Amino acid sequence: MNVPIQDLENRLHYTEEQVYFLSGIPGVGKTRTALEYCNRHPESLYFSFQHLDAAFAPVIFSSRYPEIFGSCNDWQSFFASLKTYAKEKCPTIFFDRVGNLKEKDLFYSELGQFLDANDAAHVILIGRPWDKLPLSYTDIEIETMTMPKLADLYSLKDEMAAEIFSLTAGLPELLTVYDLEKSFEENVRAMLRIDSAFYRLAPDWMGECFRTPESYNTLLYGMAQGKSRISELSAFSGYPKNKCDKYIKAPMEHGLVRREDGKNGHSKYYPANSYLSLWYGALFTAVPNVDGSFGEETYRAFMDYVRRVVLGNFYRELCIHWFKNNLNHDTYCYIDTDDPSNYNIEVGGVCFDFAFASDRGYYAYFDSVLGEGLTDRLWEEIDRVTTQQLPFYKNDYYLLTVNRVPDSFWNLSKQYDNVHIVQRKSLFAEFKKDYNRIAHPKFVPGFVGRNH
């Protein structure tokens, strides 16, 4: 579930670069990747700056490999011993948590001299994307697992892959503790413990980035409660607007918050991924039991947040993806489906996910929450409010749903060619199209397309 070791081996074998920066947000498995590489290549060396003072690090590093370093107590003697070892082995050397290093000058000075004298050795520095390194390097960024790749790699049904992805945000550290032999509900119960990797990742991430994370926690909690604008977050937190604006920039730089810019210049802010949204939305204020578990009430609230918010948002993105890629196949004029002003439009009390009207009206309703579904009453309201502006035959209706389609809606789509129903399987097929095109290219015989 991490970056394939083969990819890392190929990078080191086929490029002439000496220094690489293996980067990624917390939870993507940077350390796991390095340790797995070292297991496959025993001549490689792994060191971590976690919890270490820069001046004391050479002592701890030397004790990890005493047969190579003896008892070094400074960077000069450490790199002198490393130089001798590298002449014989041409190793790959990992330095993890380089962002934790406060006094960098002496370490990087000695590292630079070592690299000048040993052009066959590879040095891989491991850290977070926002770490600043005072030397040139080639970046290798570890990314999260996508839902299509998750389904493909583990032969999962799309619906199950969507659930697991929504729960874990594709973070390898969380995927490694997910047991495919158990149900989704059983996995959730196992994760709802204060000693689980699932529970610890968010507070550890915050602790890595901020000395006092309380203010940032308040803002992320507000975002998870649906407060997305600066004005809303200010009212929710009690912080002045200028303070909110300032505070939000820091978690954005550390991969905790994402921003969406509207056409009118008003930005919206959200937790950066589904895991953070779920943690702050359903666990941040939850009180654990004495044994570290959470009660049934927390479990039910957590599962409801998964279904209605996190998984609902994922399916809504699938609807948007399908809609953007297919609307203009049927229209008489080009419609800008990237224009945010056409989304979330209320017409006569009915909220459409997309609405655009000129000589012809185009209306889309995304039924993206499992268990809710389309209803006859909903269609009556859609029909009523849209035909007040244009007659029925001059409107096109797109009903995208992840639930079972009622027979009455199938009858509508058969009777009228301007009522389009898109099921969940079609949403997934469109969403996975680009991934499958790259991961599973269709075989084309060599004689096709030849000129004779």
Side-chain angles (χ1 to χ4, degrees):
M1 294 185 184
N2 303 317
V3 167
I5 299 302
Q6 186 66 48
D7 292 352
L8 185 57
E9 290 171 336
N10 289 340
R11 292 285 292 269
L12 298 179
H13 182 75
Y14 291 108
T15 61
E16 297 181 355
E17 302 294 335
Q18 263 192 291
V19 183
Y20 296 85
F21 181 38
L22 187 65
S23 66
I25 61 174
V28 295
K30 303 180 292 294
T31 297
R32 187 185 297 271
T33 299
L35 293 175
E36 187 176 341
Y37 183 95
C38 290
N39 285 337
R40 293 182 57 165
H41 301 273
E43 75 280 359
S44 298
L45 306 175
Y46 172 84
F47 307 98
S48 176
F49 284 104
Q50 187 173 20
H51 308 311
L52 294 181
D53 177 80
F56 189 59
V59 177
I60 300 301
F61 289 177
S62 299
S63 65
R64 180 172 172 82
Y65 304 99
E67 70 281 6
I68 299 173
F69 298 96
S71 55
C72 300
N73 57 13
D74 57 37
W75 287 120
Q76 187 173 10
S77 59
F78 172 84
F79 278 106
S81 298
L82 187 59
K83 189 182 301 182
T84 301
Y85 176 76
K87 286 180 181 179
E88 300 175 1
K89 300 293 184 178
C90 298
T92 299
I93 306 151
F94 293 88
F95 290 103
D96 201 351
R97 302 278 182 153
V98 291
N100 294 23
L101 191 59
K102 303 302 181 196
E103 299 175 6
K104 305 176 182 181
D105 293 348
L106 192 54
F107 168 76
Y108 281 111
S109 174
E110 293 294 336
L111 174 61
Q113 294 181 44
F114 166 78
L115 292 169
D116 290 339
N118 295 271
D119 56 6
H122 290 107
V123 171
I124 299 183
L125 306 171
I126 305 174
R128 301 155 301 188
W130 52 87
D131 291 333
K132 307 298 182 183
L133 307 184
L135 77 172
S136 61
Y137 57 84
T138 298
D139 194 38
I140 303 175
E141 184 173 358
I142 302 183
E143 298 180 345
T144 57
M145 188 82 71
T146 64
M147 174 261 144
K149 188 172 184 179
L150 191 62
D152 187 25
L153 191 60
Y154 296 98
S155 301
L156 302 174
K157 292 183 178 179
D158 289 333
E159 292 80 4
M160 179 179 288
E163 285 183 338
I164 297 173
F165 177 80
S166 296
L167 178 68
T168 64
L171 291 163
E173 184 174 327
L174 302 182
L175 291 171
T176 55
V177 299
Y178 192 96
D179 189 348
L180 291 173
E181 299 298 319
K182 296 180 179 180
S183 68
F184 182 79
E185 292 76 14
E186 288 174 312
N187 274 282
V188 168
R189 288 189 182 276
M191 291 178 175
L192 291 186
R193 293 190 54 86
I194 61 173
D195 57 356
S196 71
F198 183 89
Y199 185 84
R200 289 303 317 160
L201 178 59
D204 287 350
W205 190 341
M206 271 288 183
E208 280 188 33
C209 300
F210 308 110
R211 194 174 305 171
T212 55
E214 290 79 11
S215 298
Y216 308 109
N217 280 332
T218 300
L219 294 176
L220 276 157
Y221 176 58
M223 294 173 202
Q225 303 304 313
K227 316 299 181 183
S228 58
R229 298 185 185 278
I230 291 290
S231 57
E232 294 172 333
L233 290 167
S234 175
F236 178 83
S237 65
Y239 304 147
K241 289 183 181 180
N242 61 340
K243 191 173 183 179
C244 279
D245 191 45
K246 178 182 178 181
Y247 275 3
I248 283 176
K249 291 177 182 178
M252 283 181 61
E253 291 173 355
H254 291 82
L256 289 153
V257 171
R258 64 181 176 88
R259 181 180 68 193
E260 290 185 4
D261 294 325
K263 191 172 183 179
N264 58 4
H266 295 296
S267 298
K268 293 184 178 181
Y269 300 89
Y270 304 93
N273 57 46
S274 60
Y275 163 72
L276 291 170
S277 178
L278 183 55
W279 197 92
Y280 280 97
L283 284 182
F284 178 63
T285 60
V287 179
N289 298 322
V290 175
D291 64 355
S293 66
F294 288 90
E296 190 66 20
E297 184 178 349
T298 297
Y299 169 77
R300 290 196 300 268
F302 185 94
M303 292 297 290
D304 185 67
Y305 196 94
V306 170
R307 180 180 68 88
R308 295 186 59 82
V309 179
V310 179
L311 194 56
N313 286 340
F314 173 82
Y315 278 129
R316 187 173 189 277
E317 288 302 315
L318 258 63
C319 292
I320 292 173
H321 184 84
W322 187 96
F323 193 75
K324 287 184 175 182
N325 287 356
N326 289 276
L327 175 64
N328 282 300
H329 294 170
D330 303 324
T331 58
Y332 294 98
C333 60
Y334 175 77
I335 299 174
D336 184 4
T337 54
D338 288 320
D339 185 348
S341 65
N342 292 327
Y343 288 87
N344 298 321
I345 305 297
E346 185 177 317
V347 180
V350 177
C351 185
F352 290 94
D353 292 277
F354 181 94
F356 177 87
S358 55
D359 294 337
R360 190 171 185 84
Y362 297 91
Y363 299 93
Y365 185 89
F366 302 157
D367 172 38
S368 59
V369 177
L370 291 173
E372 296 195 349
L374 303 171
T375 65
D376 291 340
R377 181 176 177 80
L378 171 66
W379 174 252
E380 291 172 1
E381 288 298 303
I382 289 175
D383 184 23
R384 179 182 64 81
V385 300
T386 56
T387 53
Q388 290 178 1
Q389 300 186 34
L390 291 170
F392 176 82
Y393 66 88
K394 283 196 173 185
N395 293 322
D396 273 279
Y397 303 93
Y398 292 82
L399 304 168
L400 283 63
T401 180
V402 298
N403 294 291
R404 179 188 173 279
V405 180
D407 292 341
S408 58
F409 279 81
W410 283 125
N411 293 334
L412 279 171
S413 67
K414 291 176 183 177
Q415 185 176 358
Y416 303 107
D417 59 6
N418 61 336
V419 178
H420 314 276
I421 296 176
V422 184
Q423 295 178 277
R424 182 166 55 183
K425 63 181 180 180
S426 298
L427 299 176
F428 275 118
E430 184 67 43
F431 185 68
K432 296 170 64 178
K433 189 180 293 183
D434 289 340
Y435 172 83
N436 288 330
R437 187 182 296 116
I438 297 172
H440 304 288
K442 293 182 179 180
F443 172 72
V444 179
F447 58 81
V448 174
R450 287 181 180 174
N451 294 321
H452 297 283

